Amino acid sequence: MKITQVEAIFLRLPAINERADGTQETLIVKVHTDAGITGVGEADSSSAVAKAIIDAPVSHKIARGLADCVVGHDPFEIDRLIHRMYEGSIYYGRQGAVIQAMSGIEIALWDIVGKAVGRPVYQLLGGGFRKKFRAYASILFGDTPAETENTARRLAAQGFRAVKFGWGPMGQSEASDIAHVRAARQGLGPDVELMIDAGLCWDTATAIRRAKQFEQFNPTWLEEPLHPDNLAGYARLAAQSPVRIAAGEEVCDVKEFQQLMDVGAIDVVQVDVTRVGGLARSKRIGWDSAERHRLCVNHSYKTGVNIAASLHFVAALPNTHYFEYCVEQSALRQTLTKQRFPVVDGEIAVPEEPGLGVTLDEAVVEKYRVG
Ligand code: MG
């Protein structure tokens, strides 16, 4: 089997509002083969940038577009193709958007292989540790504490056993930060787990102070309180926080994840399969975290393609339990795939169909395609 074409499809809602939560545009990647099998992947990046990285013509032996690195090759040779993309873009890559763009192609390769052999991707990754995960509803904080409390009440009533609030108003003031977390806990009641995503808003001293102040609300973890480059800050925070510290979603590099664990001493390692270069690299990071006895969690804030790939990823690790489940109402998040991944009794199930187990709704693709 040979790859014949890589199609990078830029989808974008007509207007991206100020709340821009990441679900309002995306890059879907289709990898076509001469066997008639097409794989689907997704890259979480600045979509126009990632598309250009995939489509770019050769400008230098080590400055190639990613499609150019894989067309004509066997989609089963995934590690070799990852290497070709990494080395073929090394002049301008190794980090950030190039690795994010690579994720879209790599995930599509696993989809092809799964469809070709008739197996779900988690089995190809050597997994099956769990088939169901506690889906935590993931949403931004409200603009006011009252709005946060109402959202919490609504999500708890929908049956979620865990809810994460993030970004938005966090960091405005000590009183406001505490009021929002208190409102979230009040809305959820004592029995639903609460996660807090600070969204990179504090310096180290403030983060240490907030971790202690938030303890009374019994959060499961405090996420991204610090800038991803602030490794020394993470180390100080982890040493003093009574609450688990989570991080990783800004990170694309395997070694950087190791530093976050070994120097930053984070407790919860968050891996986005559509940002770190795909499933094989996610698995490496996931096993690095397992060997360090940390909890590994997916980061997912895109479409059903990201959800499916993330489910196969977490199913292939022993140290997973939760699943980030974005509940934003964007049409791309809610309608791009025919599968809707329902949460039943607070849990989400891993797809069992061959490949990723997703089918795009092509009418939705055409409606929002801008490139
Ligand atoms: Mg986050």
Side-chain angles (χ1 to χ4, degrees):
M1 197 191 300
K2 287 211 169 11
I3 296 166
T4 53
Q5 187 197 355
V6 176
E7 204 183 341
I9 302 167
F10 181 9
L11 303 177
R12 185 174 164 93
L13 300 186
I16 292 195
N17 60 39
E18 275 193 26
R19 196 171 156 87
D21 53 43
T23 65
Q24 295 164 328
E25 65 149 65
T26 197
L27 190 73
I28 293 296
V29 179
K30 288 185 183 175
V31 176
H32 302 282
T33 65
D34 61 2
I37 298 174
T38 295
V40 177
E42 182 168 21
D44 186 352
S45 185
S46 171
S47 301
V49 174
K51 177 175 169 57
I53 287 167
I54 290 172
D55 292 344
V58 178
S59 70
H60 186 294
K61 189 180 172 189
I62 52 173
R64 313 164 81 101
L66 299 186
D68 181 74
C69 298
V70 301
V71 168
H73 292 267
D74 183 344
F76 275 65
E77 298 178 354
I78 294 176
D79 283 346
R80 193 174 74 79
L81 294 182
I82 293 169
H83 188 69
R84 280 186 64 81
M85 289 190 278
Y86 192 92
E87 297 297 320
S89 61
I90 207 155
Y91 199 39
Y92 68 101
R94 298 169 58 242
Q95 278 283 7
V98 171
I99 302 300
Q100 291 157 0
M102 190 166 86
S103 312
I105 295 176
E106 201 261 14
I107 291 167
L109 297 179
W110 287 101
D111 191 31
I112 291 168
V113 174
K115 286 171 175 165
V117 302
R119 292 279 198 144
V121 165
Y122 76 83
Q123 291 182 355
L124 308 180
L125 294 168
F129 286 91
R130 282 176 178 269
K131 304 294 179 69
K132 286 183 176 172
F133 291 84
R134 174 166 287 199
Y136 73 81
S138 191
I139 196 160
L140 305 188
F141 279 105
D143 291 335
T144 63
E147 202 180 306
T148 296
E149 183 172 341
N150 285 339
T151 304
R153 215 173 287 288
R154 174 171 57 80
L155 291 168
Q158 285 175 19
F160 284 102
R161 294 178 189 161
V163 177
K164 183 173 83 186
F165 287 93
W167 297 75
M170 271 295 111
Q172 286 178 359
S173 72
E174 180 167 284
S176 169
D177 290 352
I178 293 171
H180 273 277
V181 176
R182 175 177 281 119
R185 174 49 80 201
Q186 274 173 0
L188 294 179
D191 299 327
V192 176
E193 289 189 72
L194 166 65
M195 292 83 158
I196 303 162
D197 184 350
L200 314 172
C201 67
W202 301 310
D203 66 0
T204 307
T206 308
I208 292 169
R209 188 172 165 83
R210 291 291 181 279
K212 291 175 180 172
Q213 290 167 324
F214 291 166
E215 186 187 13
Q216 60 182 308
F217 305 114
N218 192 27
T220 301
W221 70 64
L222 177 58
E223 174 172 329
E224 283 207 310
L226 301 174
H227 191 282
D229 290 339
N230 188 3
L231 269 182
Y234 271 107
R236 280 174 59 203
L237 173 62
Q240 298 185 57
S241 173
V243 176
R244 285 188 201 92
I245 301 300
E249 71 178 84
E250 318 297 334
V251 180
C252 301
D253 183 65
V254 176
K255 286 191 292 296
E256 207 174 311
F257 266 104
Q258 291 167 348
Q259 287 183 320
L260 255 184
M261 291 183 257
D262 295 342
V263 181
I266 60 169
D267 303 288
V268 183
V269 180
Q270 300 177 290
V271 182
D272 193 319
V273 298
T274 63
R275 294 182 180 178
V276 303
L279 287 157
R281 284 165 58 96
S282 295
K283 183 179 160 179
R284 271 176 73 187
I285 298 159
W287 277 99
D288 282 347
S289 72
E291 286 162 2
R292 289 161 171 81
H293 307 284
R294 314 298 164 88
L295 183 64
C296 187
V297 188
N298 68 302
H299 173 272
S300 302
Y301 226 72
K302 284 288 174 190
T303 75
V305 178
N306 177 304
I307 289 177
S310 299
L311 282 166
H312 292 290
F313 159 59
V314 291
L317 290 170
N319 56 328
T320 52
H321 173 66
Y322 297 103
F323 190 86
E324 178 169 36
Y325 188 80
C326 169
V327 292
E328 302 287 350
Q329 290 305 305
S330 141
L332 291 175
R333 160 65 190 88
Q334 297 293 338
T335 65
L336 183 66
T337 60
K338 292 192 173 165
Q339 295 75 11
R340 296 294 153 86
F341 306 98
V343 173
V344 179
D345 296 330
E347 292 188 317
I348 184 169
V350 179
E352 294 289 350
E353 296 78 19
L356 292 179
V358 286
T359 311
L360 297 179
D361 184 332
E362 293 295 342
V364 176
V365 173
E366 285 318 306
K367 183 171 179 186
Y368 295 110
R369 185 169 188 160
V370 293

